[in-house]
Amino acid sequence: MRRSSKIAAAVVMMAMPLAACSSSGPSNNNDKSDTSASTPRAKVKSSAMDASVKGPAPDIAGAKKGGTLTITDAGAPPTFDPAGAYYEFSMTILSELVTRGLTGYQVDQDGKSTLVPDMAQGLGKESADGKTWTFKLKPGMKYSNGQPVKAADFVYAIKRSFDENLGGQGPVPYLKTTLVGGDTYKGPFKDKGKDFKGVTSKGDDTVIFHLTRKWPTLPYYLAFPAASPVPQSAEKKSTYEKNPLATGPYKFKTFNKGTRIVLEKNTQWDAKSDPIRHQYPDTIDVKLGVTALTEQQRIFANSGPGATTLDISGLDAGLETKAKSQAKQVVFGPSPCESYLPLNSKKIPLEVRQAIAVAYPYDQTRKAGGESRLTYDPATTYAPPQVPGIKQYPAVNGLIGKGSGDPAKAKAMLKKAGKSNFELSWYYVSGKGQDEAANNALKSAMQKAGFKVKDVPVSQAEISEKINDPNAPQNVGQGISSWCYDWPSGDSIYPQLFSTTTAKDGRSVANLQDKAIDQELDRISALDPTEAAPEWLAFDKKMTKQVMGIPLSYSKASSVLGNKVHNVVPDPNHGLPDFAQVWVG
C-alpha cells in the first residue's frame, strides 16, 4: 500500500473514513464550478495498458515554457531514494519529473491514465509459461551526467531495493514473493557478490525478470521509482537520495531533507523517446512540511509566489467557502485510496455482520468526525471505480455508503437470528475531540440497533499497534481501515484485503482465513489483466454478499493552485496532479 504523509501520520479511529487517504495530496473535478463533489464516480475513467504508445508526449495546447513552479505539501516523505519511495508525493515527484522506468503512466486531458512503455520499447514479452519477462530498452538514453543508461542499471536498481535500509519502505514485498530467490535475498550490501537470479541483463539493452509464478501485472510494478535505473558506480547508499541520477526532464539542484528540493532542467533528457513528460518550467521548487491553511490562503490571494504555487496538501476545511467562490483555483479528482470498517468474520457471524451494515451510521460518524463532503465519495465496492472492471452494482446488505442507518431493522434482524445483545468491541483514540465524537456516534447507533458495545480507549501512539494486533480480543476495526492500491488491478487490492497471509499478519479487512478464497485469489491474479477484470468484479460482489468488512469512502484528493498555474490534470492512480504536464505563465 503506497502511502501519503497524511495517512501515515494519522491512523484514524477505525469508524472514520480517511480524508485524502492516498496521496500527500490532490485530485480533480471535470466540472470545476461544483466543488461539492468530485467527478461523478460513474464517469471516472478506467485505467488501461497500451504497448503501442511512443514518444514524444502529446503537446499541451497553449502551454508555455519558462518560469518557476512551486509545489507545496504539508507532509514530508521519509526518503526520496527511488528504492524506498513509497509515499504518493515522493513517488510522483520522482517518477513524473526525475526518474524514468521501463514503463510509466500517461495521463490524458480527460484524466484517463494509461500504462505505456517508457524506457522500454514495449510493455515486455512474457514467456509461454508466464515465468519470464523480457524488456528491450530504447536506444540512446542517458543520465543527467551524460552516462549511457544500460540494462545492468535496472538489474542493480532492483537489487538495491531489497536492502532494508534503502527499500524497506518501498514495494519490494511483491518482488520477494515473485522473483526467483527473492524470498531470501537481502540486497547487494548484505548479500555482496551473491548470484541473484531474479533479474538479469543480456547485453546493454535487455532486462530479463525470472519469476516463481505468473505475474501478468509485472509491467505495472515496473512504473515504481524503485524499478528505475541506478548504475552501481553511482551508489551512495543512504545519501543517494540527495541527488539521484536523473533520466527525466528535471534533476536535483538542491536537497534539504524534509523541507525543500529545488529541481532544474536535465539537459540530457531524451524528450523524443518520452511519451509521458514535458519540460515546461525552468525551475520546480518543492517545499515540504508547510502549513496548508497558510499556503492555500496565499494561493487564493494570488499574491507574489502564491500565483505560481500548486499546493497538494488537500483543501483545508476552513477554506471551503473560498474554494466555492474561486472554483477555478481548486482541482478535485479520484484517489487510489478507500476506507473500510473491518469486521472479524471469524468472530462475527454473517447474520450479525448483515445487521451491522444495515445499522451503520455513515452520516453521523462523518459529521461527528469533521469530514467534509469534499474529501470523499460514498463507497459501495471494495475497489475504487477507476480500477478496470469495477462497476457500481446494486448494493446488498445495506452497504450503500451513505445515510443514517436503520437501527430498528437491524434490531429486528438480530432478534430473528437469536443474536440480540451481541457484543461488538473496538479500540478508539481518546483525547481527540473528533475521534471521540465519531466513536460516540457509532456506539450510539449500534446500541440502538440492539448491540452491546465495548469501546476501548487508547492513545494516538497506541492505536496503530492495537488495531494491527492479530491476537487482540476486539472483533471490529482490527486490520486494514484503508487501502491505497499500488496499481489499477484487483491483484493489488483483493489479496491484501482478504487473503490468509494478510489475516495472519493482522492486516486484512475481514480476518478471512479460507483456503478456497486464497485459491480463487491466486487463480484470478494469474489471469491476463483484461481477463481478470470481470472476475475481480464478481469477487467484489461475493465479498459484499458476505459483508466482509464495510466499504466506507472512496477518498478524493484536492489541489489548490495559483492563477498562473495551468493544466493541473489529476492522475487517478497517484491521487495527485500529473506534475509532468503543469506549466506556469
Side-chain angles (χ1 to χ4, degrees):
M1 176 183 72
R2 41 184 151 171
R3 308 168 185 171
S4 75
S5 305
K6 289 182 294 187
I7 196 175
V11 180
V12 201
M13 197 284 274
M14 49 77 199
M16 290 175 59
L18 298 179
C21 129
S22 143
S23 7
S24 242
S27 307
N28 148 22
N29 185 345
N30 287 341
D31 179 7
K32 295 176 184 171
S33 64
D34 176 13
T35 59
S36 64
S38 71
T39 303
R41 288 288 165 172
K43 296 182 180 180
V44 171
K45 303 284 186 180
S46 289
S47 300
M49 285 187 178
D50 190 343
S52 68
V53 175
K54 302 182 185 300
D59 290 334
I60 305 299
K64 299 177 182 178
K65 293 186 177 183
T68 296
L69 168 67
T70 300
I71 301 175
T72 57
D73 182 21
T79 183
F80 278 84
D81 188 310
Y86 203 35
Y87 281 65
E88 285 297 341
F89 189 63
S90 54
M91 286 170 54
T92 305
I93 288 291
L94 288 172
S95 64
E96 292 179 358
L97 298 174
V98 180
T99 63
R100 295 177 63 183
L102 292 169
T103 66
Y105 294 100
Q106 183 188 78
V107 182
D108 68 20
Q109 295 299 292
D110 291 328
K112 181 178 180 180
S113 180
T114 303
L115 189 79
V116 301
D118 190 359
M119 301 186 89
Q121 294 185 25
L123 292 179
K125 183 178 181 181
E126 185 181 15
S127 63
D129 65 0
K131 294 184 178 181
T132 304
W133 281 79
T134 304
F135 293 82
K136 203 86 167 177
L137 299 183
K138 296 173 181 176
M141 293 174 296
K142 297 180 181 180
Y143 294 102
S144 48
N145 64 359
Q147 181 178 337
V149 175
K150 298 180 179 181
D153 303 342
F154 289 92
V155 175
Y156 185 70
I158 292 293
K159 286 182 176 181
R160 73 190 298 272
S161 74
F162 276 84
D163 185 86
E164 61 184 16
N165 294 319
L166 300 180
Q169 296 296 318
V172 74
Y174 292 107
L175 300 182
K176 289 182 177 179
T177 59
T178 54
L179 290 190
V180 172
D183 56 338
T184 59
Y185 189 60
K186 302 297 183 183
F189 313 126
K190 287 189 176 181
D191 282 340
K192 187 176 182 179
K194 182 176 181 178
D195 182 21
F196 178 54
K197 299 183 183 300
V199 57
T200 60
S201 60
K202 183 178 180 181
D204 287 339
D205 67 349
T206 304
V207 185
I208 307 169
F209 293 86
H210 308 275
L211 312 180
T212 58
R213 58 175 173 82
K214 295 180 71 173
W215 188 6
T217 53
L218 172 64
Y220 278 123
Y221 182 92
L222 299 177
F224 277 116
S228 62
V230 177
Q232 188 169 359
S233 61
E235 181 61 76
K236 294 183 180 179
K237 297 186 178 180
S238 61
T239 62
Y240 184 73
E241 69 166 334
K242 294 181 178 180
N243 190 19
L245 277 181
T247 46
Y250 295 90
K251 62 181 180 179
F252 282 29
K253 180 179 180 181
T254 61
F255 177 87
N256 300 104
K257 191 173 180 66
T259 59
R260 190 180 186 189
I261 302 171
V262 178
L263 303 178
E264 63 182 353
K265 287 186 175 181
N266 171 16
T267 58
Q268 300 292 334
W269 171 58
D270 183 7
K272 292 182 180 179
S273 74
D274 193 332
I276 297 169
R277 304 166 187 84
H278 295 280
Q279 195 183 53
Y280 291 135
D282 290 332
T283 302
I284 298 178
D285 191 355
V286 180
K287 296 181 179 180
L288 306 169
V290 304
T291 300
L293 176 60
T294 301
E295 206 60 53
Q296 291 170 19
Q297 287 173 328
R298 183 180 298 118
I299 292 171
F300 278 123
N302 292 305
S303 59
T308 54
T309 296
L310 170 63
D311 181 78
I312 58 87
S313 307
L315 178 68
D316 188 279
L319 296 174
E320 288 186 20
T321 300
K322 176 70 72 173
K324 290 178 181 178
S325 64
Q326 295 179 227
K328 291 183 178 181
Q329 290 189 243
V330 187
V331 174
F332 293 93
S335 158
C337 295
E338 182 174 342
S339 60
Y340 314 89
L341 175 69
L343 300 176
N344 191 320
S345 62
K346 296 179 73 66
K347 295 180 179 180
I348 307 176
L350 173 59
E351 59 268 31
V352 177
R353 300 198 301 271
Q354 291 172 326
I356 294 171
V358 167
Y360 191 81
Y362 298 98
D363 293 351
Q364 298 95 307
T365 54
R366 285 169 177 153
K367 182 179 180 179
E371 289 301 305
S372 164
R373 186 64 180 83
L374 300 177
T375 66
Y376 72 91
D377 281 322
T380 59
T381 58
Y382 290 102
Q386 65 265 37
V387 175
I390 300 303
K391 301 175 181 177
Q392 301 295 309
Y393 54 85
V396 296
N397 290 321
L399 299 176
I400 57 177
K402 58 185 178 181
S404 301
D406 190 337
K409 181 179 178 180
K411 192 170 187 176
M413 292 168 67
L414 284 180
K415 184 176 181 180
K416 183 178 180 180
K419 301 292 184 181
S420 296
N421 294 313
F422 188 94
E423 183 175 277
L424 302 179
S425 57
W426 62 73
Y427 295 112
Y428 74 97
V429 177
S430 63
K432 292 186 69 176
Q434 290 183 335
D435 282 15
E436 289 191 341
N439 173 72
N440 291 337
L442 179 62
K443 181 178 181 178
S444 175
M446 292 299 132
Q447 289 175 330
K448 289 178 182 177
F451 289 99
K452 180 181 178 181
V453 175
K454 182 180 179 181
D455 56 332
V456 181
V458 297
S459 69
Q460 179 71 63
E462 296 176 286
I463 188 67
S464 181
E465 181 180 353
K466 292 288 187 182
I467 65 175
N468 289 295
D469 180 3
N471 298 314
Q474 276 60 38
N475 57 14
V476 174
Q478 295 300 112
I480 293 174
S481 61
S482 67
W483 187 255
C484 308
Y485 65 71
D486 282 317
W487 54 81
S489 175
D491 65 320
S492 81
I493 302 170
Y494 298 103
Q496 286 73 18
L497 300 183
F498 302 114
S499 73
T500 297
T501 300
T502 55
K504 289 182 177 179
D505 290 341
R507 295 183 293 108
S508 78
V509 80
N511 192 29
L512 186 58
Q513 301 179 43
D514 187 314
K515 289 184 178 180
I517 293 296
D518 291 338
Q519 291 171 356
E520 188 172 1
L521 291 169
D522 289 343
R523 178 187 66 80
I524 303 174
S525 293
L527 296 175
D528 175 86
T530 302
E531 296 175 353
E535 296 261 13
W536 288 127
L537 179 61
F539 185 85
D540 198 291
K541 292 179 179 179
K542 183 176 182 177
M543 294 298 99
T544 55
K545 287 181 180 179
Q546 297 296 312
V547 197
M548 292 299 180
I550 298 178
L552 296 178
S553 302
Y554 304 125
S555 180
K556 62 183 183 184
S558 52
S559 305
V560 181
L561 53 142
N563 61 2
K564 292 184 179 180
V565 178
H566 306 281
N567 204 52
V568 177
V569 179
D571 181 344
N573 295 319
H574 284 158
L576 290 170
D578 183 356
F579 297 141
Q581 299 191 39
V582 180
W583 59 277
V584 295

